[in-house]
């Protein structure tokens, strides 16, 4: 026969401290869910085509998901950033100055999205990795743009993913998947539903450049950072919000899985 439950044995009194439940009656500590990081390309964010409708729905989705698991979102600069970079280059600005123009545009986009989402997203998007980590420890949704020259918001997303031990990174872009060749110039290009880190890094290193306003699907520092930490990357068409939601939730989605 089981010994009768002795409630007193389940209560421990710390010297001069409050009573504390131990053993079977103690509530289980809540294990926080690993965050998910989303990198939204500027080419998805602002296309000139029904952007307000898209951003409104995107904001709704992010607010809803952040009630279930923590989310960190980086926003790119897209064609607005490239336009400023093109103008600055024509005026002889240095690559660092051009990167800084790009960063300002990404921050403008982040501010726009954060303002529409509202709390819990901080109204003033953090400007550094350290500030974003602090915000992520305070609340379930952080939205930011770029940080410093030399990379893109994909790298910001990847560095934050490692720093926050994220479950996955989702790259919302303007193509429906990764292809073995550029589908715009190669009609026989093949979609790649899955890619190893080795192959992905080789593709990124062959395709991305070191100049401001680069256009490859993911940036070098981002790919190297995620590959080293073995954090999975999912590439999706960011305007398809159902598919984006599936990728963020870790469910079956249409696109490319790296890792
Ligand atoms: P994006 O993150 O938008 O990168 O930053 P991207 O790949 O050029 O464009 P999309 O948005 O995915 O289509 C725009 C530019 O801003 C500078 C870089 O020059 C980048 O190309 N940037 C951005 C930085 O230098 N550092 C950052 O942290 C972010």
């Amino acid at each position: 026969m089981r010994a009768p439950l002795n409630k007193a044995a389940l209560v421990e009194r710390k010297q001069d401290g409050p009573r504390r439940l131990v053993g079977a009656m103690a509530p289980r500590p809540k294990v926080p869910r690993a965050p998910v990081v989303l990198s939204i390309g500027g080419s998805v964010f602002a296309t000139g085509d029904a952007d307000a409708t898209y951003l409104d729905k995107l904001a709704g989705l992010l607010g809803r998901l952040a009630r279930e698991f923590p989310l960190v979102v980086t926003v790119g600069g897209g064609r607005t950033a490239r336009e400023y970079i093109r103008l600055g280059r024509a005026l002889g600005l240095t690559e660092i100055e051009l990167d800084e123009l790009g960063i300002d545009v990404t921050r403008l986009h982040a501010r726009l999205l954060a303002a529409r989402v509202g709390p819990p997203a901080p109204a003033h998007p953090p400007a550094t990795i350290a500030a974003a980590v602090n915000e992520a420890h305070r609340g379930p949704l952080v939205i930011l743009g770029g940080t410093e020259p030399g990379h893109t918001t994909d790298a910001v997303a990847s560095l934050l993913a490692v720093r926050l031990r994220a479950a996955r990174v989702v790259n919302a872009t303007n193509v429906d998947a990764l292809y073995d060749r550029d589908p715009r110039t190669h009609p026989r290009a093949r979609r790649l539903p899955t890619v190893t880190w080795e192959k992905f890094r080789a593709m990124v290193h062959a395709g991305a450049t070191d100049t401001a306003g680069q256009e490859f699907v993911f940036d070098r520092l981002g790919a190297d950072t995620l590959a080293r930490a073995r954090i999975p990357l999912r590439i999706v068409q960011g305007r398809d919000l159902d598919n984006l939601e599936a990728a963020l939730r870790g469910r079956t989605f249409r696109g490319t899985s790296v890792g």
Side-chain angles (χ1 to χ4, degrees):
M1 204 180 89
R2 261 190 174 183
L5 193 65
N6 179 359
K7 273 196 181 166
L10 296 170
V11 178
E12 183 185 77
R13 187 192 281 276
K14 271 189 166 177
Q15 230 173 2
D16 300 317
R19 279 168 168 252
R20 170 163 88 85
L21 280 175
V22 294
M25 284 180 70
R28 284 231 179 105
K30 219 176 155 196
V31 180
R33 287 185 68 174
V36 174
V37 177
L38 168 63
S39 173
I40 305 178
S43 51
V44 177
F45 190 85
T47 61
D49 177 24
D51 291 335
T53 309
Y54 169 71
L55 292 176
D56 203 48
K57 288 186 180 155
L58 175 68
L61 173 66
L62 298 178
R64 192 156 45 80
L65 291 180
R67 286 198 281 275
E68 296 179 43
F69 52 86
L71 264 174
V72 175
V73 181
T74 63
V75 186
R79 64 180 187 175
T80 310
R82 269 192 283 279
E83 185 60 24
Y84 275 94
I85 288 168
R86 191 190 59 75
L87 200 55
R89 193 168 273 132
L91 294 172
L93 270 59
T94 65
E95 286 300 313
I96 287 190
E97 288 165 335
L98 299 177
D99 280 341
E100 285 168 346
L101 286 178
I103 291 170
D104 282 348
V105 176
T106 63
R107 288 179 177 165
L108 197 62
H109 285 175
R111 181 176 288 257
L112 183 68
L113 183 61
R116 172 60 190 83
V117 170
H124 301 283
T128 64
I129 297 284
V133 168
N134 282 340
E135 292 290 358
H137 287 154
R138 263 191 233 128
L141 179 56
V142 181
I143 300 172
L144 72 157
T147 52
E148 65 278 296
H151 50 67
T152 76
T153 43
D154 295 334
V156 176
S158 305
L159 292 165
L160 277 168
V162 177
R163 188 63 186 68
L164 295 167
R165 297 170 172 77
R168 69 193 74 87
V169 173
V170 175
N171 185 35
T173 180
N174 62 351
V175 291
D176 65 345
L178 192 67
Y179 286 76
D180 61 349
R181 284 167 288 177
D182 188 341
R184 289 171 300 187
T185 46
H186 296 90
R188 293 162 71 108
R190 258 187 332 115
R191 279 183 78 227
L192 303 171
T194 56
V195 180
T196 62
W197 275 119
E198 288 63 35
K199 180 153 183 176
F200 185 66
R201 284 187 60 226
M203 290 173 84
V204 170
H205 280 259
T209 64
D210 279 334
T211 53
Q214 60 169 290
E215 271 192 76
F216 197 68
V217 71
F218 210 71
D219 90 348
R220 288 183 192 178
L221 177 60
D224 291 348
T225 301
L226 292 182
R228 193 168 68 163
R230 291 285 188 251
I231 293 180
L233 171 67
R234 301 175 149 211
I235 299 169
V236 294
Q237 217 294 10
R239 286 257 160 171
D240 178 350
L241 287 171
D242 290 339
N243 197 36
L244 176 63
E245 177 171 353
L248 288 167
R249 287 183 179 282
R251 296 184 180 153
T252 308
F253 72 105
R254 215 178 109 79
T256 299
S257 285
V258 187

